[in-house]
Each structure stands twice: as structure tokens, then as C-alpha cells.
Amino acid sequence: MPNARATLLSRRGILAAGGALGLGAVLAACGDGDAKSGGSGGGKAAADASGPWSFKDDRGQTVKADKVPSRIVAFVGAAAALHDYGVRVEGVFGPTTTKDGTADVQAGDMDVSKVTVLGNEWGQFNIEKYASLAPDLLVSTMFDDAGTLWYVPEESKKKILAVGAPTVGISVYDRQLTEPLQRMLALAKSLGGDVTGDKVKQARKRFEDAAARLRAAARAKPDIKVLAGSASQDLFYVSGTHLSIDLEYFKALGVNFVEPPESAKKQGGGWYESLSWENANKYAADIIMMDNRTSAIQPADITQGTWKKLPAVKAGQVIARNPEPILSYDKCAPLLEDLAKAIETAKKVA
């Protein structure tokens, strides 16, 4: 996820919009009786649950509470995954709505009009709003091995933690997609989500079938070369498979990826190589998977001539990729299906 990862590497230099509120005001807001009784509460299963609750997250930290959390705040992608398992989230942070007010691709099937948005962009996290929700759990993903909670601004982290809600981190760093999928499923189960119903069983079966289809497609066409890219105004990013949960899994299934050398990925923290648009044709590819997040320029809006001349672009062999997959089987199955179909129908053009 090139653009966001580049931001992560320099996150200490970014001002957090929510960090200006004094700590005393935050704690006062958190103690407000109306805030604690307001809102519709968590999902029914979670809200009705009683008794002790605990969950060991991917930092190795065991979070405990007297009862199952029901006032959950989460990074939007994690919230979307929990939503697929019937776990309601009160507040979200991260790309939730687009400029026209519609749901961002990272919001999945959530009704974004029914959640409190604490920040829609990098560095935004409204601590006063957060405290007013009286949260009893904060959930996010992690893109490093240091336990950094994604989209929780470093500059205001202490004030956010001072509100008192425990935190859970699900790692999406240097592992295959199936592992964080299972971890999110486990978290949803602990929060009272429906993880054994027919809908979830069907989604998991669809995911497994899609994996088998992708493996077969890659085996049938081993010479089809796939490039994972992302576009900004000045740069074309080429991701390596190492570190990214989706690409690592696709590669394990046999997909033949363009792989920039480690030396070329140093400026991208080991995730990707940055190319000027003049050098966008550095790697030959038959299929290009392009970052579909709103932070990236979409293929239809790329005007650079070198892009339009790429063989895969000229052949119409460009598909979407979400570098931050929503961690439910329902949302991940189509990712495998789309890539399998692209390989099945691709012509050798590079």
C-alpha cells in the first residue's frame, strides 16, 4: 500500500488533528453520564453478553474486561470486517467517506451514516468525539512488527490511550492473508459475532474455492506476469510480494509476480519501489493490479503517456487491488476470484 506506507514511515512528522484537546477535557468528556448512556450500543450478541472477557492480540497482549465490549471504536477496515460478522462498531477512523459523502471502498458494507467518524484522513482523530462515545475497546490493524496501531496518530496516542479503552491490534504485516482472516474471525467470535452461521460458512467455502481456482489458473499459465502497482501524481509504485498479506498469499498459490529487488525497495521501507512516470515501463507485466483506495489515482484518471503505452494497459488487462483487504471471508473471496479470472483470460503481452 504505497502511499499510506510512505506516510507511515514519516508519521512522526505529521500533525494529528485531534491532538489539540487538553487531557483534562478528554477525561471529563469520557466521564459524562449522557455519553455513557447515549447511542444504540453494540451488536445484540455482544450487548447481551455478561461475564469476563479476554482476547490475546497480535502484540501478545491479553486484553481483559469484566464483560464483553459493546461500545467499540475501530479503524474503518477492521470495523467493516467486524460488521460482516454482526459486530456493531460505534465509531470509526480512517477513510470512511468519499468527497461526495458515499462510503469509501474501505468501509465495506457498513452504513457509514450510522457510525461516528472520528477522522476521515491520515492524522485525523477527534479525541473529544472519541471520549464522548465512552468506548470500551479500540481495534486497529498493524503494518509493522512494533505494534503500531494503524491510523492512530503517534502525536496524540497518549491522549487517546488516556481515555481508558483497552486496545486490540490485528497484524497484517509479513504473513499470508489466511492468518489475519482467522485472527479477525476469532476477535469477532469473542465479541459475540456470528461466525458459524450459514452466511459465514458460505463465504468461507467461496474463499476456499476461489483459492483453488487461483492456484489452478496460476498453474495453467505460469508465464503470465503480474505487477502490483499504485499511482500518485508524480510516482508509479511497484509493490514487492514480501510483507503484503494479499500478495504473499497469491504468490504462495503460484501467481508469478514482478518482484523489485530489495535494494530498490529501501525508500519504501521494503514494501515497494518508487518509479518516476518516465520509468513506469521498467518491468514487463501481462496483468497490472492497481491500488483501488481513494488515496491513489485510479487507472482511468492516469494521464501519463508511459502508462497508456504499457502492454497490459493497452490490452485492457488491468484489475483493481485493495492493499488493505477487509478481513472477512465475504470480502476476500472476490479478490481471489478477480485475479483468477484475469489470469485465466489474460494474453501474453509483455
Side-chain angles (χ1 to χ4, degrees):
M1 46 185 193
N3 297 333
R5 286 173 183 153
T7 309
L8 175 61
L9 294 173
S10 59
R11 64 184 299 164
R12 293 185 180 276
I14 302 172
L15 293 176
L21 186 67
L23 179 58
V26 173
L27 297 179
C30 185
D32 184 79
D34 291 336
K36 289 184 178 179
S37 61
S40 58
K44 186 179 187 300
D48 292 346
S50 59
W53 172 85
S54 67
F55 184 82
K56 186 175 182 179
D57 76 355
D58 291 340
R59 297 169 295 186
Q61 299 178 9
T62 300
V63 182
K64 298 181 179 181
D66 293 336
K67 61 179 182 179
V68 176
S70 61
R71 302 192 61 81
I72 303 166
V73 170
F75 170 68
V76 62
L82 291 174
H83 171 85
D84 283 354
Y85 295 119
V87 178
R88 174 172 166 75
V89 170
E90 294 292 324
V92 298
F93 52 94
T96 307
T97 58
T98 60
K99 291 181 180 179
D100 62 4
T102 58
D104 189 276
V105 64
Q106 291 184 254
D109 293 334
M110 282 194 303
D111 184 344
V112 295
S113 69
K114 294 183 178 179
V115 293
T116 299
V117 180
L118 305 177
N120 201 54
E121 298 178 6
W122 184 266
Q124 292 181 351
F125 194 112
N126 190 313
I127 305 176
E128 186 173 16
K129 277 187 179 182
Y130 175 61
S132 73
L133 294 174
D136 51 13
L137 183 66
L138 185 150
V139 180
S140 191
T141 48
M142 301 182 299
F143 283 92
D144 59 27
D145 56 5
T148 305
L149 296 176
W150 191 233
Y151 266 81
V152 174
E154 191 72 22
E155 297 77 13
S156 51
K157 181 176 68 175
K158 289 184 179 179
K159 294 177 182 179
I160 293 168
L161 296 179
V163 171
T167 64
V168 162
I170 300 296
S171 180
V172 288
Y173 175 75
D174 195 16
R175 60 202 63 205
Q176 293 182 24
L177 178 61
T178 46
E179 185 176 343
L181 269 173
Q182 293 166 0
R183 295 292 291 140
M184 188 62 75
L185 183 81
L187 175 60
K189 180 180 179 180
S190 79
L191 294 171
D194 179 5
V195 301
T196 59
D198 288 343
K199 182 179 179 180
V200 175
K201 288 180 180 177
Q202 291 168 8
R204 190 161 189 165
K205 176 65 163 53
R206 181 182 175 188
F207 178 89
E208 292 167 352
D209 289 347
R213 178 183 174 185
L214 180 55
R215 184 184 290 109
R219 185 181 298 121
K221 291 189 173 182
D223 60 334
I224 293 295
K225 201 81 171 178
V226 181
L227 181 149
S230 185
S232 70
Q233 188 62 42
D234 299 318
L235 295 171
F236 180 58
Y237 305 94
V238 178
S239 291
T241 57
H242 182 52
L243 305 182
S244 296
I245 57 172
D246 61 332
L247 302 184
E248 283 199 12
Y249 184 52
F250 300 158
K251 183 178 181 180
L253 292 174
V255 177
N256 183 7
F257 278 101
V258 168
E259 196 73 61
E262 290 302 314
S263 59
K265 295 187 292 182
K266 283 186 177 180
Q267 287 188 331
W271 296 90
Y272 58 85
E273 179 179 1
S274 303
L275 298 173
S276 66
W277 280 107
E278 290 78 8
N279 294 313
N281 60 355
K282 178 177 179 179
Y283 298 106
D286 303 294
I287 296 172
I288 300 178
M289 304 174 67
M290 287 297 287
D291 187 345
N292 71 347
R293 295 171 302 169
T294 51
S295 58
I297 298 176
Q298 297 307 299
D301 299 319
I302 300 174
T303 59
Q304 281 81 0
T306 48
W307 165 259
K308 295 180 180 180
K309 293 178 181 177
L310 293 176
V313 176
K314 292 171 68 175
Q317 295 179 174
V318 178
I319 64 172
R321 173 199 174 213
N322 187 346
E324 298 181 58
I326 294 172
L327 297 174
S328 73
Y329 290 100
D330 182 70
K331 295 300 180 293
C332 287
L335 306 181
L336 279 72
E337 292 169 343
D338 290 348
L339 181 54
K341 180 180 179 180
I343 294 174
E344 290 166 350
T345 59
K347 297 178 180 178
K348 186 66 182 174
V349 295

